[in-house]
Amino acid sequence: MSEAETLFAALRQSADGGVVDMLARMVREAPDHALNRMNALDLAAKEDLSEERVIAALLNAVGLGLFEMTWSVMCPSCAGVLSANKSLKTLDRAQYNCAFCAAGYDTTLDNLVEVTFTVSPRVRKIAAHTPDELSTAEYYRQIFWSSAIDLPPDPEKLLAEVTLEMVDLPPGERAILSLQAPAGTLIVFDPVTHTAQFLDVSGEETGERQNQSVIFNKAQVPVDTVALRPGPLRLSLENRTDGRVLPAVWMANQALDDLLKRRKPVLTATRLLTNQTFRDIYRTETLAIGQRLKILSLTFLFSDLKDSTELYERVGDLVAFDLVNEHFRLLQEIIASERGAVVKTIGDAVMATFETPDRAIAAAIRMRQAMSDLGAERQHQSLRLKMGIHEGSCLAVTLNGQQDYFGQTVNIASRIQGLAASRSIVVTEQVVENAGARTLLETSGLKPALKRVALTGIADKVSVYEIS
């Protein structure tokens, strides 16, 4: 049995068999580019498999050494990869700049960081493991662009429609391009050094040759724009790095606009942080001590068993301990099935996160019913949950040796849980205003009751809704 077969056999012990079969088949038969920066959501859609099972299998495969995981900072405008990282720990900049778009973006985990998977060289050697050997078109497809771009099968044909020239320039070399510059915006861009020069070509056409030079080095310089007239252009390109560069002269035309609009859903860092399998495997290794990464929108659910102290007194420590443990098991199972993750437990309380409010409400409704069923099964009708849900921005941090969250959103979610009566779910206005949450409540026949309440540490009263 080969090493790959041994590793896939081990993977079957922790992952869905159908997903493992698919991954093993890809490693045997798929073209190289299909095994580089794999998009878990796109892969699940194409293979008609559960997204959560595909994500879980890939995460476990990373743990076994079958695949490698990359956290890529991507430009929201062009979907270019601005920084590829083996860990979130190396995302240490407050802002990332895209030279191709001449724009900067604050670092957030919602839509700026995608997570992809690449086959390990110990399992199968692919071209992307040595990117300096990729053609220009393949470099753009496999290294520069993120998995969000829905590229056609032939990248060479695509690039021919949006560029005037492409050059493979070895270290220390120069190239001279003679072009006929058309009216419009041209972008001289290298995806290796992320160097760009914008050319604003306008006015009357000239017959005189114009000259422009671009130097590629490792120093990041601001992107500027040079005004030219339509007509002959002598473009000098010089590579002052110790590796090759791949400059191209791009045309900002309709074909480029159409290309950049072709998007696929991606596995964002925010979604992965709310994945239970990820938390189970990487609980203590996600962020560096002192590192803080911003999330624009995350939904928090806090739950607590009502009168659990009385339960211990009434049924005894042994029975109560068994009931509380079963309660934790059921809650984690439901939370994970709704694409959430348990962040921590505090006494009999649970703190969980979800990517969207509708998932949190779906989980809360199921959790409430599960506790009723458990109480009836064990003849202890007192198993009732108090739950609170809030959505907003927060910081992903490391606290007490594990990945956690910090901020006012967390505080509010915790405090509104304290407002809940037995078996009720209290949610904030941000939660009920979510379109998915509204649809879920309507289809469930639930009508939240509005009330204004004061919360400790919050100056003004807030609107909350009780779901009985």
Side-chain angles (χ1 to χ4, degrees):
M1 184 180 288
S2 68
E3 181 181 18
E5 290 172 330
T6 301
L7 292 173
F8 275 114
L11 182 59
R12 290 182 192 282
Q13 305 302 310
S14 57
D16 179 84
V19 179
V20 177
D21 288 343
M22 178 267 294
L23 294 176
R25 184 178 69 252
M26 288 186 67
V27 168
R28 290 194 308 269
E29 304 170 3
D32 278 11
H33 70 82
L35 293 168
N36 179 55
R37 291 189 181 172
M38 296 160 61
N39 179 332
L41 306 191
D42 187 51
L43 189 59
K46 287 179 177 177
E47 297 289 336
D48 194 24
L49 293 166
S50 158
E51 290 180 355
E52 292 305 295
R53 291 181 180 181
V54 171
I55 294 168
L58 286 167
L59 288 170
N60 280 287
V62 170
L64 290 169
L66 279 160
F67 290 86
E68 297 173 346
M69 187 162 51
T70 302
W71 304 75
S72 298
V73 180
M74 62 178 184
C75 172
S77 298
C78 71
V81 172
L82 310 181
S83 174
N85 305 268
K86 293 301 181 185
S87 166
L88 270 181
K89 293 179 180 179
T90 53
L91 266 71
D92 53 2
R93 289 156 57 183
Q95 186 178 76
Y96 285 84
N97 297 301
C98 177
F100 189 76
C101 298
Y105 306 95
D106 292 337
T107 304
T108 64
L109 299 183
D110 304 72
N111 60 356
L112 204 68
V113 181
E114 69 160 359
V115 185
T116 56
F117 303 86
T118 299
V119 68
S120 169
R122 66 187 285 198
V123 174
R124 175 174 157 182
K125 182 73 172 166
I126 60 173
H129 291 146
T130 51
D132 284 348
E133 298 175 12
L134 291 170
S135 68
T136 302
E138 286 300 328
Y139 190 96
Y140 271 100
R141 170 159 71 168
Q142 298 193 50
I143 305 299
F144 174 69
W145 271 314
S146 74
S147 71
I149 286 283
D150 187 9
L151 293 173
D154 186 356
E156 293 277 1
K157 180 182 178 183
L158 166 71
L159 289 180
E161 296 175 353
V162 293
T163 62
L164 292 177
E165 291 281 354
M166 293 187 295
V167 182
D168 189 328
L169 195 57
E173 295 290 319
R174 295 181 64 193
I176 305 294
L177 303 181
S178 294
L179 308 171
Q180 191 69 20
T185 299
L186 302 179
I187 309 169
V188 183
F189 177 72
D190 167 48
V192 181
T193 60
H194 287 252
T195 300
Q197 174 71 70
F198 278 65
L199 308 177
D200 180 14
V201 185
S202 60
E204 293 186 11
E205 187 170 346
T206 180
E208 296 182 5
R209 187 178 69 187
Q210 303 165 99
N211 295 287
Q212 183 63 37
S213 64
V214 181
I215 296 172
F216 303 100
N217 54 42
K218 294 183 178 179
Q220 293 295 313
V221 295
V223 178
D224 65 352
T225 301
V226 174
L228 297 172
R229 291 165 62 187
L233 170 63
R234 184 178 186 269
L235 186 61
S236 173
L237 307 173
E238 183 178 355
N239 181 5
R240 293 185 182 176
T241 75
D242 55 4
R244 70 166 182 168
V245 294
L246 301 169
V249 182
W250 291 77
M251 299 177 287
N253 56 17
Q254 189 61 48
L256 180 58
D257 288 343
D258 292 343
L259 162 66
L260 299 183
K261 290 176 183 176
R262 295 167 56 119
R263 298 298 177 96
K264 298 181 288 188
V266 299
L267 177 59
T268 64
T270 298
R271 177 163 176 183
L272 195 59
L273 292 181
T274 63
N275 178 277
Q276 191 63 55
T277 301
F278 176 80
R279 288 199 65 91
D280 291 344
I281 297 175
Y282 299 97
R283 186 176 300 274
T284 62
E285 303 172 11
T286 307
L287 301 174
I289 301 297
Q291 186 180 17
R292 297 169 295 176
L293 293 174
K294 187 173 183 180
I295 296 175
L296 296 177
S297 174
L298 196 64
T299 303
F300 291 87
L301 182 153
F302 280 82
S303 75
D304 194 15
L305 270 177
K306 180 177 172 58
D307 299 329
S308 58
T309 302
E310 294 178 7
L311 176 68
Y312 278 85
E313 293 179 354
R314 188 170 63 254
V315 302
D317 289 348
L318 191 60
V319 174
F321 180 78
D322 178 59
L323 280 168
V324 171
N325 274 352
E326 181 64 7
H327 136 271
F328 281 132
R329 186 193 69 79
L330 287 170
L331 264 52
Q332 178 160 322
E333 182 180 280
I334 292 169
I335 289 165
S337 70
E338 293 293 345
R339 287 181 17 192
V342 174
V343 177
K344 59 187 174 184
T345 60
I346 310 161
D348 298 328
V350 169
M351 171 184 174
T353 55
F354 298 82
E355 189 181 18
T356 54
D358 57 318
R359 293 284 181 174
I361 288 181
I365 294 170
R366 291 176 57 194
M367 288 159 63
R368 179 165 66 182
Q369 185 59 49
M371 289 305 97
S372 292
D373 294 344
L374 178 61
E377 176 190 326
R378 303 291 181 88
Q379 298 181 341
H380 296 290
Q381 298 293 338
S382 58
L383 288 180
R384 296 183 174 90
L385 283 181
K386 299 169 59 180
M387 288 179 278
I389 302 173
H390 181 48
E391 176 273 336
S393 63
C394 63
L395 296 176
V397 299
T398 293
L399 290 174
N400 300 319
Q402 65 177 5
Q403 195 260 307
D404 206 333
Y405 300 93
F406 178 82
Q408 190 72 310
T409 298
V410 183
N411 297 335
I412 292 174
S414 174
R415 286 166 186 162
I416 65 167
Q417 179 273 320
L419 300 174
S422 173
R423 284 182 50 81
S424 71
I425 305 165
V426 176
V427 304
T428 57
E429 193 169 18
Q430 290 90 325
V431 173
V432 296
E433 287 180 349
N434 174 266
R438 283 201 307 268
T439 300
L440 175 63
L441 291 170
E442 288 171 5
T443 56
S444 301
L446 297 171
K447 296 182 179 180
L450 170 65
K451 57 182 178 179
R452 298 279 293 174
V453 298
L455 296 178
T456 304
I458 308 297
D460 300 321
K461 284 189 174 182
V462 299
S463 297
V464 299
Y465 294 78
E466 187 169 19
I467 304 171
S468 300

